Amino acid sequence: MLYFPNPASLCSHTRLTLSFIYRKVFQDTKYLVQSAFDGYNVCIFAYGQTGSGKTYTMGSGNCDAALDAETGVIPRVIRDVFAGVHERQDESTVTVRCVFLEVHNEEVRDLLHPDTKSKVIQIRENADGAIVVSGIS
């Protein structure tokens, strides 16, 4: 995982590097949007040590990015999902459901519904071998 400092404190050379890294990370995940429209469940999982840049790379660490090059994975994916919904509005009905979870020290938090108690949320394997999350809104 990559660590990104606050972009406001970066020099222009570092900003170009950061821009390249975000584009590369997003290119590696962009095909997942099309897979979702093809009917597959999609998950983007960020894993790494504390302070390694997961939150920042995914995008919730820099939601107010002034430059598109500094926008993380989540805002880019959401933008592409809704652009895809708009493109398909005359062809089909699309339902969008998202879950934004944080797993830290074996505790699961629903970041879209922070009032949900973490003990209610469980991640487990079902009888078919699929990983499911229960207790989320």
Side-chain angles (χ1 to χ4, degrees):
M1 188 51 63
L2 305 168
Y3 172 72
F4 300 111
N6 181 350
S9 66
L10 301 175
C11 65
S12 61
H13 172 72
T14 306
R15 280 183 177 267
L16 291 173
T17 302
L18 180 65
S19 171
F20 168 78
I21 291 170
Y22 273 134
R23 283 195 312 269
K24 174 72 174 122
V25 170
F26 187 62
Q27 286 171 355
D28 290 346
T29 58
K30 191 171 179 70
Y31 72 93
L32 295 173
V33 173
Q34 182 58 48
S35 294
F37 283 113
D38 291 341
Y40 295 97
N41 290 325
V42 174
C43 175
I44 299 174
F45 188 79
Y47 177 81
Q49 291 180 305
T50 300
S52 61
K54 300 172 300 293
T55 301
Y56 202 89
T57 301
M58 294 306 289
S60 61
N62 193 22
C63 290
D64 296 327
L67 302 173
D68 189 53
E70 297 173 2
T71 302
V73 172
I74 292 170
R76 291 173 189 244
V77 167
I78 294 297
R79 182 178 53 215
D80 280 2
V81 165
F82 284 99
V85 168
H86 181 72
E87 289 172 11
R88 292 163 178 80
Q89 68 185 355
D90 296 331
E91 302 168 21
S92 59
T93 302
V94 177
T95 301
V96 177
R97 292 187 314 152
C98 335
V99 178
F100 190 18
L101 300 176
E102 174 185 65
V103 181
H104 186 261
N105 291 333
E106 298 184 23
E107 187 172 305
V108 183
R109 291 181 42 217
D110 183 344
L111 298 177
L112 297 178
H113 298 93
D115 295 337
T116 304
K117 294 184 176 169
S118 63
K119 297 201 183 296
V120 174
I121 304 169
Q122 296 182 350
I123 301 174
R124 59 179 179 240
E125 188 175 353
N126 69 12
D128 299 331
I131 304 299
V132 295
V133 180
S134 62
I136 54 175
S137 301

